[in-house]
């Protein structure tokens, strides 16, 4: 038997080329990793240095006391202030600390913010074309209580971007309390429910209201302005706008009606219950239920006949709400259940027992 | 009075420390909940001022640990952020004595601490 070995004729030049290519690639990746880790390390060292510098300056400022030292001295390498990233980092830190403090330390931080011209940076941001930079600028000026820029901020309360105008509106209320709501005179965009809650949270002056302005806003064509005004009237217990609120019961918007009812629940006059009943038939189910609930608080025996009629409504939830209010307003109290014609039949039996259980609870 | 301050934000921690030391108290600081629990056992402070949100163990866990280990005479002031009413209620249920909402004034904190300082002196006498 004869063994024959045949060698394949392979051209190894392209393989060597490929090998060189991958070796080169590996070297490049390796070098990239070395440079990247070096760059990252440098960044970390720089950040740590910035942190320590800023921490030292903020500490000096917070602990500064006017009675012990006539002028605040800030020990800081001025060349750092030419770096825009350092300025932004510093601003963020000041704002973060300012959020946690008030009194003299907060006032010192405000002085530091303006003395390093960070307020000018924030002002520049609000002139940016990008909405998120604009919003950040407004937020910075608001937290640092830079009331001198109120004109620029006021212009943004009606901005086309929702987040920018939200920040601007919050800033104004933060600065001036109730007076800050003057943007309601010009706003054409709706104010979201969330934003309304935010604005009310910013209210810190519980004493001053301008009834004239409130009346004007209650007649606004912007429904969200009317809703917010109703909430403000409720917050300030503003009885002066009682008639305007009663008018709001005729408003086509459901939320306006519900907020008017909330006001009347808190601030009711003698005729409020009758006025509420007048708008009952023109209202939807949610408003009807709210009316029945408000009557429980502000009603009297005069509304018993109205409530008895509602016991014949097709909707069982309305029947329950009417029965619940009746149990409070009826001269016989809960005992009126027994006088009802079908008291021992459903749904009456279930409704009356639920009310009794609720009361017992 | 020996006061332990548990606060993870360094600037806030230093601010509180500075103010309380100025009032003549002995202040020990720590930056996380676990460290705070260890230090409480070591130094047995008269008063603890603790933030709610902290790494490793929260302010609530610190209160629990103090009460579990029989620290009935240790007063606890909780630092909470706005809108943390539920957490504050929980802190009171666990045995906290007082709370301060951020933002706060160091002067306000000083006055509150002073109240406990007087109580401690009376007990010592």
């Amino acid at each position: 038997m004869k063994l024959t070995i045949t060698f394949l004729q392979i051209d190894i030049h392209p393989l060597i080329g490929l090998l060189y290519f991958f070796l080169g690639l590996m070297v490049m990746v390796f070098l990239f990793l070395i440079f990247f880790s070096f760059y990252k390390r440098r960044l970390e060292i720089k950040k740590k240095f910035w942190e320590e510098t800023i921490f030292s300056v903020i500490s000096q400022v917070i602990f500064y006391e006017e009675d012990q030292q006539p002028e605040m001295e800030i020990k800081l390498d001025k060349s750092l202030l030419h770096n825009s990233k350092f300025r932004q980092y510093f601003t963020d830190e000041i704002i973060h600390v300012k959020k946690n403090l008030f009194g003299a330390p907060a006032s010192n931080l405000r002085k530091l913010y303006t003395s390093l011209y960070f307020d000018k940076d924030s002002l520049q941001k609000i002139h940016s074309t990008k909405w998120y930079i604009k919003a950040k600028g407004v937020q910075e000026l608001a937290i640092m209580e830079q009331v001198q820029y109120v004109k620029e901020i006021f212009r943004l309360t009606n901005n086309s971007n929702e987040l920018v105008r939200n920040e601007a509106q919050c800033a104004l209320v933060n600065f001036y309390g109730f007076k800050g709501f003057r943007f309601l005179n010009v706003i054409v965009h709706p104010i979201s429910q969330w934003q309304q809650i935010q604005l009310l949270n910013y209210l810190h002056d519980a004493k001053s209201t301008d009834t004239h302005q409130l009346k004007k806003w209650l007649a606004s064509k912007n429904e969200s302005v009317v809703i917010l005004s109703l909430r403000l009237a409720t917050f300030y217990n503003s009885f002066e706008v009682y008639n305007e609120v009663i008018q709001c019961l005729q408003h086509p918007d459901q939320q306006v009606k519900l907020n008017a009812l909330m006001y009347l629940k808190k601030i009711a006059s003698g005729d409020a219950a009758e006025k509420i009943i007048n708008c009952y038939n023109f209202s939807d189910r949610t408003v009807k239920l709210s009316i029945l609930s408000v009557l429980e608080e502000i009603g009297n025996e005069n509304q018993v006949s109205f409530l008895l009629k509602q016991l014949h409504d097709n909707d069982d939830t309305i029947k329950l709400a009417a029965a619940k209010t009746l149990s409070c307003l009826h001269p016989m109290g809960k005992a009126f259940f027994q006088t009802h014609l079908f008291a021992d039949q459903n749904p009456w039996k279930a409704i009356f027992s639920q009310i009794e259980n609720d009361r017992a609870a | 009075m020996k006061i332990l301050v548990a606060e993870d934000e360094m600037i806030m921690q230093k601010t509180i420390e500075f103010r309380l030391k100025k009032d003549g108290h002995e202040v020990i600081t720590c930056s996380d909940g676990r460290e705070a629990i260890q230090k409480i056992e070591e130094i047995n402070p008269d008063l603890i001022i603790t933030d709610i949100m902290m790494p490793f163990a929260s302010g609530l866990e610190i209160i629990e640990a103090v009460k579990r280990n029989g620290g009935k005479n240790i007063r606890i002031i909780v630092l909470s952020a706005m809108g943390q009413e539920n957490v504050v209620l929980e802190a009171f249920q666990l045995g906290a004595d007082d709370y301060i909402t951020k933002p706060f004034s160091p002067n306000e904190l000083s006055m509150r601490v002073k109240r406990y300082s007087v109580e401690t002196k009376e007990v010592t006498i």
Side-chain angles (χ1 to χ4, degrees), chain B:
Chain B
M1 194 160 61
K2 202 190 283 181
I3 304 171
L4 182 116
V5 177
E7 167 66 77
D8 58 330
E9 280 180 40
M10 206 47 79
I11 290 181
M12 293 307 295
Q13 190 196 89
K14 294 287 167 202
T15 308
I16 297 168
E17 185 187 7
F18 175 82
R19 179 70 227 194
L20 297 177
K21 275 189 174 166
K22 204 180 157 204
D23 291 345
H25 301 292
E26 182 188 343
V27 183
I28 301 103
T29 56
C30 45
S31 310
D32 67 68
R34 203 161 50 195
E35 191 190 347
I37 294 169
Q38 276 173 1
K39 279 197 176 165
I40 291 163
E41 282 177 19
E42 283 167 24
I43 60 168
N44 194 27
D46 300 305
L47 175 74
I48 298 167
I49 297 172
T50 177
D51 189 14
I52 295 273
M53 303 295 283
M54 272 192 303
F56 304 120
S58 70
L60 297 178
E61 284 169 282
I62 294 175
I63 303 169
E64 248 177 337
V66 169
K67 299 298 165 185
R68 196 174 48 235
N69 297 336
K72 283 179 184 166
N73 296 325
I74 303 177
R75 299 292 194 172
I76 302 170
I77 300 178
V78 169
L79 297 174
S80 75
M82 287 262 273
Q84 284 190 327
E85 282 78 12
N86 288 341
V87 185
V88 170
L89 284 178
E90 206 180 331
F92 274 122
Q93 278 169 352
L94 290 170
D97 296 279
D98 204 349
Y99 79 99
I100 296 181
T101 311
K102 289 178 184 174
F104 67 91
S105 150
N107 289 342
E108 182 193 350
L109 178 72
S110 166
M111 292 309 287
R112 289 193 194 227
V113 170
K114 204 174 176 181
R115 202 173 64 187
Y116 295 112
S117 171
V118 172
E119 275 179 27
T120 312
K121 271 178 196 165
E122 280 170 4
V123 170
T124 316
I125 288 162

Side-chain angles (χ1 to χ4, degrees), chain A residues 220-236:
Chain A
S220 170
K221 283 178 185 166
N222 184 338
E223 279 150 10
S224 62
V225 169
V226 181
I227 295 168
L228 181 56
S229 312
L230 284 165
R231 286 181 170 153
L232 283 170
T234 313
F235 179 85
Y236 283 107

Side-chain angles (χ1 to χ4, degrees), chain A residues 3-14:
Chain A
L3 187 70
T4 315
I5 301 170
T6 316
F7 287 102
L8 283 169
Q9 289 282 320
I10 302 171
D11 184 7
I12 59 164
H13 289 292

Side-chain angles (χ1 to χ4, degrees), chain A residues 42-70:
Chain A
R42 263 193 67 187
L43 273 184
E44 276 167 11
I45 292 169
K46 197 160 105 178
K47 198 187 165 200
K48 201 162 185 325
F49 170 68
W50 283 5
E51 259 173 17
E52 282 165 6
T53 311
I54 292 169
F55 179 82
S56 152
V57 174
I58 291 181
S59 302
Q60 284 173 50
V61 169
I62 288 176
F63 306 144
Y64 165 76
E65 282 166 342
E66 267 176 37
D67 51 340
Q68 289 182 0
Q69 224 178 320

